[in-house]
């Protein structure tokens, strides 16, 4: 696949939804917005990978795909078992989650993404909305919170009843999580990095 454009100026031009023949345009909350040529249809996830992947605040549940004919559909990439295709001439827009009103949930839940913070909402509530694997707060849940002075805290203890704030990120462990030592985590990270390099 060959990149046609990927500059900041190109990103601004994407808002006008200009289609290039044989190309897919990806804009919004991706690391390298731009346009690339395609030989045939491919999956939406492959198109996102072409653009460097999602940014941390990408809303995976509200991706808009517009065809060359102007038909738009909304895609939820958190739904398992579906292979959403993009074709030549499609335009893909990945919206960003509004951190001023939402909490972001990532990791071992059924529906990753942003959730509107309601009065009194707890970590347990938001995990339940996201479809966590257990009824209680699973061991290993973390809340990443940026304070008003800009400092970032990672909260680990007594989380089930803790109230979430807009801008928080709740990270849930995947099924089968077990508490790992720092050495185990480093080994997992290194193996993951090697696999990314080998298969990218």
């Amino acid at each position: 696949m060959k990149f046609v454009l990927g500059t900041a100026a190109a990103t601004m031009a994407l808002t006008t939804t200009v289609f290039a023949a044989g190309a897919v345009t990806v804009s919004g909350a991706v690391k390298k917005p731009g346009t690339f040529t395609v030989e045939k249809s491919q999956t939406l996830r492959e198109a996102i990978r072409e653009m460097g992947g999602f940014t941390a605040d990408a809303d995976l549940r509200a991706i808009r795909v517009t065809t060359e004919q102007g038909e738009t559909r909304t895609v939820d990439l958190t739904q398992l078992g579906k292979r959403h295709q993009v074709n030549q001439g499609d335009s893909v827009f990945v919206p960003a989650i509004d951190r001023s009103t939402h909490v972001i949930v990532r990791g071992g839940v059924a529906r990753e993404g942003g959730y509107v913070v309601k009065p009194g909402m707890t970590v347990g509530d938001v995990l339940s909305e996201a479809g966590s694997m257990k009824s209680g707060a699973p061991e290993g849940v973390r809340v990443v919170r940026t304070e008003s002075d800009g400092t970032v805290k990672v909260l680990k203890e007594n989380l089930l009843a803790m109230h979430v704030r807009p801008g928080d990120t709740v990270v849930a462990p995947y099924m089968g999580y077990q508490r790992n030592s720092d050495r185990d985590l480093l080994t997992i990270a290194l193996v993951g990095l090697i696999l990314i390099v080998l298969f990218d």
Side-chain angles (χ1 to χ4, degrees):
M1 299 197 178
K2 177 182 168 187
F3 284 92
V4 177
L5 54 95
T7 63
T11 303
M12 292 180 65
L14 297 176
T15 59
T16 61
T17 316
V18 175
F19 296 100
V24 172
T25 300
V26 182
S27 61
V30 292
K31 293 177 183 173
K32 298 186 292 186
T35 300
F36 62 95
T37 57
V38 290
E39 303 275 330
K40 55 184 180 178
S41 69
Q42 66 180 104
T43 68
L44 180 55
R45 286 189 182 277
E46 289 169 343
I48 299 299
R49 279 199 294 272
E50 289 286 341
M51 301 292 104
F54 295 106
T55 60
D57 59 350
D59 188 349
L60 278 60
R61 295 184 297 150
I63 298 169
R64 293 194 301 274
V65 179
T66 304
T67 66
E68 201 166 9
Q69 294 75 34
E71 298 171 359
T72 300
R73 71 184 191 276
T74 301
V75 174
D76 181 352
L77 271 187
T78 66
Q79 296 296 314
L80 299 176
K82 294 184 180 178
R83 289 177 55 85
H84 299 281
Q85 299 294 125
V86 290
N87 301 295
Q88 295 179 349
D90 284 356
S91 176
V92 177
F93 177 72
V94 182
I97 296 166
D98 183 354
R99 287 180 174 267
S100 69
T101 56
H102 288 66
V103 58
I104 297 175
V105 182
R106 297 285 185 234
V109 293
R111 296 173 299 279
E112 288 185 297
Y115 292 85
V116 175
V117 176
K118 304 176 185 87
M121 180 181 257
T122 65
V123 171
D125 295 335
V126 76
L127 285 174
S128 178
E129 273 196 50
S132 66
M133 305 300 182
K134 300 179 182 178
S135 56
E139 183 181 0
V141 168
R142 302 287 182 264
V143 174
V144 180
R145 173 173 291 171
T146 303
E147 299 292 354
S148 56
D149 62 0
T151 58
V152 177
K153 292 182 178 177
V154 179
L155 309 171
K156 305 175 183 179
E157 304 298 330
N158 304 317
L159 294 181
L160 183 60
M162 189 184 81
H163 289 92
V164 292
R165 299 179 190 168
D168 282 352
T169 298
V170 177
V171 183
Y174 288 93
M175 186 181 286
Y177 170 86
Q178 295 177 347
R179 186 175 295 278
N180 294 301
S181 67
D182 289 343
R183 176 179 280 180
D184 292 337
L185 293 174
L186 182 59
T187 302
I188 292 167
L190 286 173
V191 169
L193 183 59
I194 290 168
L195 290 174
I196 289 169
V197 170
L198 288 175
F199 294 105
D200 238 8

